[in-house]
Amino acid sequence: MIFLWYSGLFFQTFFLHRYAAHQTFTMSKFAEKVCFFLTWLTQGSNYLSAYGYGVMHRMHHAYADTEKDPHSPKYDASLFSMMWRTKNIYQDINNQKIEVADKFTKNVPQWKSFDDFASSKLSRLTWGALYTLFFILFTTAWWQWLFLPVAFLMAPIHGVIINWFAHIYGYRNFDVKDTSKNLLPFDFLMMGEGYHNNHHAYSGRANFGGVKWHEIDVTYYIMVVLDKLKLIKLK
């Protein structure tokens, strides 16, 4: 569960968020394809498309905490209703069922044939079956089965932690026009995503932390290593 949590979260924050949505670094087309595959491998049954995520997240920044925001505690009665609305908007964007302004789609990576496969019912059900088989083989107590729904829905859970709780709880370094907050002084849980207020203040920065001494963005330091290895190029 720990491996699934952090591996899926890494590709969500590194590839979907900092690359697809904000393009805080560049990489080769081959490396991009590898990231698509690794995102599918680590997110499994809850795979998120770089295109759908990237476009929707840009809309979140443009319309934060307004009626046009794809996900906002101000306009959703509960976190479950927010998750459901977010899912529907994400699917409409990803399937190109709604018109989206060019500024939200510009240069967002898309590999449609792979997305169609990775988002298919066959892929999701296969991953779900593999997770269930793993639990059948390795659980040693009844309470461990409570983690199985988390495995099925891990990416949406990552999203709701930030898009719901990080707009309600935490502290603020910057007086921005939305309700974004930094969820934890040291973000051990969300690999830097929890510094949400910092990110809303400076959305183009690769480093979400670093404003205060205790704000260590683990994902950013991994990115620095990847930059030194010339696998990516930080802007």
Side-chain angles (χ1 to χ4, degrees):
M1 290 303 299
I2 291 170
F3 175 78
L4 274 184
W5 182 273
Y6 285 107
S7 61
L9 177 60
F10 174 75
F11 283 99
Q12 184 165 331
T13 183
F14 167 75
F15 181 56
L16 304 183
H17 192 180
R18 306 186 201 211
Y19 179 75
H22 294 293
Q23 299 178 345
T24 62
F25 63 94
T26 58
M27 60 180 160
S28 69
K29 287 297 179 183
F30 174 75
E32 186 180 286
K33 291 278 197 295
V34 170
C35 284
F36 269 98
F37 176 77
L38 292 176
T39 301
W40 172 71
L41 192 66
T42 56
Q43 291 188 338
S45 65
N46 45 102
Y47 170 82
L48 293 173
S49 153
Y51 181 81
Y53 182 101
V55 172
M56 185 172 68
H57 186 72
R58 289 181 182 185
M59 293 171 67
H60 169 63
H61 276 269
Y63 304 127
D65 287 326
T66 70
E67 291 182 353
K68 292 183 178 181
D69 190 344
H71 36 67
S72 171
K74 287 183 69 175
Y75 291 94
D76 289 291
S78 69
L79 62 85
F80 298 106
S81 64
M82 187 190 78
M83 289 174 76
W84 186 256
R85 188 164 68 90
T86 301
K87 177 193 79 71
N88 290 334
I89 294 171
Y90 162 81
Q91 288 180 333
D92 286 345
I93 292 169
N94 206 38
N95 296 325
Q96 298 180 330
K97 289 184 176 179
I98 57 173
E99 276 195 44
V100 179
D102 291 344
K103 65 180 179 178
F104 297 129
T105 62
K106 184 179 180 181
N107 297 328
V108 178
Q110 187 175 28
W111 188 3
K112 195 169 187 315
S113 59
F114 185 81
D115 275 347
D116 289 345
F117 157 72
S119 301
S120 67
K121 287 183 180 179
L122 175 62
S123 173
R124 296 191 191 282
L125 290 173
T126 301
W127 278 112
L130 290 172
Y131 295 158
T132 304
L133 178 62
F134 186 91
F135 273 69
I136 290 169
L137 293 174
F138 294 107
T139 49
T140 56
W142 68 266
W143 56 265
Q144 293 169 1
W145 283 95
L146 299 175
F147 288 118
L148 186 57
V150 179
F152 290 155
L153 297 169
M154 196 165 281
I157 291 170
H158 289 154
V160 83
I161 288 172
I162 301 304
N163 296 319
W164 182 268
F165 292 103
H167 278 264
I168 298 174
Y169 305 106
Y171 67 95
R172 287 161 71 90
N173 287 331
F174 301 100
D175 186 18
V176 293
K177 293 180 179 179
D178 54 67
T179 60
S180 60
K181 295 175 176 64
N182 294 327
L183 197 56
L184 297 166
F186 170 57
D187 187 20
F188 66 92
L189 183 66
M190 299 299 295
M191 297 187 73
E193 288 285 303
Y195 301 127
H196 202 49
N197 176 247
N198 294 354
H199 174 56
H200 270 250
Y202 296 101
S203 60
R205 285 183 61 196
N207 185 0
F208 292 178
V211 177
K212 294 182 177 177
W213 67 269
H214 51 75
E215 294 175 353
I216 300 169
D217 181 354
V218 175
T219 301
Y220 172 69
Y221 289 106
I222 295 172
M223 291 165 65
V224 170
V225 173
L226 295 175
D227 179 72
K228 298 294 183 187
L229 295 172
K230 301 197 182 303
L231 295 174
I232 66 171
K233 184 173 178 57
L234 284 166
K235 293 184 178 178

